[in-house]
Amino acid sequence: MERRRPGDRDGRREPGGRRGARRPRAAWSAVVLLAAACGKEASPPPADRAPDPPPARLRRFEIADPRSADLAFTALGAVELALFARGRGPLEVVIEEDGAPAAKSLLALSGEARSPAAVALPGAGTRALRVRVSAPAGTTLEEARVRDEEPRLPGAKRLAGALRGRSLMIVVCDALHARRLGSWGHERDTSPNVDALAREGVRFAAANAQSAWTLPSIATLFTGLEQERHGVRDYGRALDAELPTLAEAFQAAGHSTAAFVQNPVVSAPSGLARGFDRFTEYGRDAAARVPRDVRDHLAAAGAQPCFVYVHLLPPHAPYAPPRELATRFGRPTHEVDGHFAGIDRLAKAQPAADDPRVVQLAALYDNHVAWGDQLAGELFRAAAEHGRDRTVVLFLSDHGEAFAQHGDIGHERNVHDEIATIPLVLWAPGSPLTPGSVVREPVWMPDLLPSLAELFALDAGGEAHGQSFAGLLEGRDAGGARVLRLSAKYRVGTPDQRAIVFGRFKLVAPARKRPTALFDLEADPGETNDVSADHPVLAAALLGELVRWASEPLSESAAPGFVPDAKMRAALRELGYVDDGGK
Ligand SMILES: [Zn+2]
């Protein structure tokens, strides 16, 4: 089996590559088998070209016997059943909920031609449903469809357009796990600046990245689409020129647009510079220059509102902050120095999370988190100087960083808490936002584009997978859990791991040493205790969602791909990425 593909950075992190390669494949087979056992749904037809995203949570059932059907499935919310039949009917429908009789009805049909009849199924929330349908003589049952109602976040009232005409500075600290920050409960004082921003702004306690590494994550931030839909899943893929971007939306609203980017993955050839009047790239060692350039840019802007995207590399590896921070929470040693060679050596040894070398490495990461926080703090001050009453700051990360909590060190391979939970703070002094408030409802990266569009009254065009969270900022009730879909880095058509976040629960597949695992994020935010045996119906429902999602065709970008040039390859090599990406 092949293992070292272009851009396959983590191939070298798995000791005995063959073992590392087979693990997800075998586990995925188990996931699919499990799904086959728990559902009887028809697979979507293969498509040459990815169609528009299908209506959310629509299932079709194959009808083998035209006189009767027996449909068993798990549901997450309100459900409508539609039956298509020819004849005069009526159809007899008997419904069981969680194994008990729930309802019985006769559905009239309109005539001899194929006609639909719909019925709302009883119950709410997560439950196992079984529907038996019988047709009388002379009536032919042709198709059954079940549609789960897509939960919507509450709409905004006061806050729609509340930030219109203000400048926006987005600050990304790359590879920053939220729980390494004080405001997310870290015991070390790594983040005085972000914590201060959160005290004056709104903190999202449960924000999720959609993907596990930089390129797809930023493409999601800019488009509101999952990596499965925007198609920028690896080096050499460019964002489809037809997809509208966040920068273009600000441009159309009259903002000047500028990007200051320190990660070479976020580049013009990837299509991610589209919509920016100015796009400035920085080398790995140039972090200190970024806030100064941003301040100068804002000072020169005059009265025109600005959209500024700042992508800082810290705390992304190598963990090498300036001298004054290099020993703050831990000292580099000969064996664990925070550079790639040492990180790779350690990853290959597959240490446990409490191995002293891992603990030491995480301390060096915290040093680098403090450096990212310091740089971010300079940017926050530049935003305040630009005008507290006319500037908004959105602080976040593109994904987290793992220290063997679930076996991996670094990022890309999994979507557990250490990778998926990102910091997210929205700061808008003098606006109707409530300073110091906390949003606990789960949100995810695809929500950002529609949210900013609603708050800034932008025409974002296109279709986002996320929803605006502006209503949550008004303290409105979320009104039911949404299904958030997370995926790790893609290898040969499938990601290493997927997850479904549903309210306080998260289903991960494949999980370590088992096909799936269900976690209760409220009781167990670190995702250590599989509770699927306590919640079998929910686990089955979420697995059904996950398998249905995994069987949707992937969108491929229609934009021409590219081969990274020598300069970009050198920059990628500096960051520990293999340098043959895009071939
Ligand atoms: Zn990143």
Side-chain angles (χ1 to χ4, degrees):
M1 264 175 112
E2 61 77 37
R3 257 313 88 189
R4 188 73 178 276
R5 288 193 323 285
D8 187 352
R9 178 183 172 201
D10 279 323
R12 63 204 166 100
R13 291 193 176 164
E14 283 279 333
R18 298 176 63 112
R19 186 171 155 240
R22 283 212 302 268
R23 181 179 61 120
R25 207 164 286 269
W28 267 112
S29 311
V31 169
V32 171
L33 279 175
L34 257 179
C38 79
K40 296 174 181 172
E41 297 161 34
S43 308
D48 295 325
R49 186 190 154 275
D52 292 325
R57 301 151 63 124
L58 178 70
R59 299 174 235 202
R60 287 187 178 81
F61 291 81
E62 283 166 4
I63 304 292
D65 175 358
R67 297 293 305 284
S68 68
D70 187 351
L71 319 172
F73 55 95
T74 45
L76 296 172
V79 177
E80 188 182 70
L81 170 71
L83 298 166
F84 294 81
R86 285 176 198 276
R88 297 208 170 274
L91 303 173
E92 185 186 71
V93 180
V94 179
I95 301 161
E96 280 178 20
E97 184 185 347
D98 292 333
K104 203 173 194 179
S105 57
L106 289 175
L107 290 184
L109 297 172
S110 55
E112 294 294 330
R114 173 182 157 99
S115 59
V119 59
L121 300 184
T126 307
R127 61 213 188 276
L129 291 168
R130 185 170 185 186
V131 182
R132 292 190 185 84
V133 185
S134 317
T139 296
T140 311
L141 195 56
E142 292 193 336
E143 192 182 344
R145 294 182 195 172
V146 162
R147 189 176 61 82
D148 286 21
E149 188 177 286
E150 171 78 352
R152 302 292 307 174
L153 289 180
K157 291 187 176 165
R158 282 182 297 123
L159 287 175
L163 305 180
R164 184 200 308 261
R166 290 192 180 215
S167 292
L168 173 66
M169 179 193 289
I170 293 182
V171 179
V172 169
C173 272
D174 203 303
L176 175 55
H177 178 207
R179 290 185 220 291
R180 310 304 293 206
L181 300 171
S183 28
W184 270 260
H186 197 30
E187 67 276 10
R188 288 176 172 145
D189 185 18
T190 51
S191 54
N193 291 293
V194 172
D195 300 345
L197 192 82
R199 282 194 296 275
E200 293 186 0
V202 180
R203 182 173 74 87
F204 293 79
N208 291 273
Q210 198 267 324
S211 53
W213 66 292
T214 309
L215 179 62
S217 195
I218 299 306
T220 296
L221 171 64
F222 287 180
T223 62
L225 297 173
E226 297 172 344
Q227 64 168 334
E228 285 71 19
R229 310 307 313 178
H230 64 53
V232 189
R233 288 183 296 275
D234 209 343
Y235 302 117
R237 287 177 185 267
L239 192 66
D240 197 314
E242 297 295 309
L243 290 177
T245 68
L246 184 62
E248 288 174 323
F250 273 105
Q251 216 169 31
H255 287 58
S256 70
T257 56
F260 302 82
V261 175
Q262 216 199 339
N263 188 326
V265 164
V266 180
S267 65
S270 311
L272 299 178
R274 182 149 52 82
F276 287 104
D277 306 327
R278 168 184 178 178
F279 195 89
T280 310
E281 295 173 79
Y282 297 83
R284 192 182 85 190
D285 300 320
R289 263 181 48 210
V290 177
R292 291 202 293 269
D293 286 0
V294 172
R295 187 184 299 115
D296 291 347
H297 173 79
L298 290 174
Q304 186 185 11
C306 306
F307 169 58
V308 176
Y309 175 75
V310 189
H311 192 126
L312 296 166
L313 198 56
H316 192 292
Y319 313 137
R323 186 175 313 206
E324 65 273 18
L325 292 169
T327 58
R328 184 147 178 210
F329 303 111
R331 272 174 193 284
T333 60
H334 178 67
E335 191 179 11
V336 181
D337 64 4
H339 287 87
F340 280 112
I343 295 173
D344 275 359
R345 250 194 330 271
L346 189 54
K348 281 176 182 152
Q350 287 206 312
D354 60 357
D355 184 300
R357 295 167 300 173
V358 177
V359 173
Q360 165 82 0
L361 185 66
L364 301 185
Y365 173 72
D366 282 345
N367 293 340
H368 214 210
V369 171
W371 174 225
D373 177 78
Q374 193 169 304
L375 294 162
E378 288 181 44
L379 290 161
F380 303 158
R381 285 187 283 283
E385 282 167 22
H386 184 60
R388 288 175 63 92
D389 57 348
R390 68 163 176 139
T391 314
V392 176
V393 173
L394 182 73
F395 175 80
L396 76 161
S397 183
D398 51 351
H399 52 81
E401 189 83 328
F403 294 96
Q405 295 97 325
H406 296 88
D408 303 317
I409 290 178
H411 52 269
E412 299 182 352
R413 300 218 62 164
N414 81 54
V415 283
H416 281 292
D417 170 72
E418 57 272 21
I419 303 297
T421 305
I422 53 169
L424 182 64
V425 176
L426 184 62
W427 178 88
S431 79
L433 297 188
T434 309
S437 57
V438 178
V439 172
R440 302 202 179 275
E441 185 67 23
V443 298
W444 63 329
M445 191 70 94
D447 290 335
L448 287 169
L449 180 128
S451 301
L452 294 171
E454 181 161 34
L455 292 165
F456 285 83
L458 307 174
D459 177 6
E463 180 183 358
H465 277 160
Q467 299 176 23
S468 171
F469 52 59
L472 297 178
L473 300 174
E474 297 177 354
R476 286 174 199 283
D477 188 71
R482 293 187 294 158
V483 171
L484 312 183
R485 318 196 293 189
L486 321 183
S487 49
K489 185 165 186 177
Y490 270 71
R491 290 157 206 276
V492 196
T494 194
D496 281 352
Q497 188 178 70
R498 293 179 195 258
I500 300 275
V501 175
F502 183 69
R504 62 188 274 202
F505 290 97
K506 179 173 176 179
L507 182 95
V508 174
R512 206 174 178 211
K513 297 178 184 164
R514 71 193 87 177
T516 70
L518 181 73
F519 301 103
D520 178 345
L521 301 175
E522 265 175 31
D524 176 29
E527 301 172 18
T528 58
N529 182 28
D530 178 9
V531 297
S532 37
D534 300 332
H535 304 276
V537 173
L538 177 64
L542 296 182
L543 180 59
E545 289 292 325
L546 189 142
V547 169
R548 199 164 346 139
W549 171 39
S551 63
E552 286 172 12
L554 293 168
S555 285
E556 304 298 337
S557 172
F562 70 96
V563 177
D565 62 14
K567 190 177 158 212
M568 183 186 274
R569 285 202 304 276
L572 293 172
R573 197 182 306 119
E574 268 196 350
L575 288 174
Y577 294 88
V578 294
D579 63 349
D580 53 352
K583 286 183 186 165

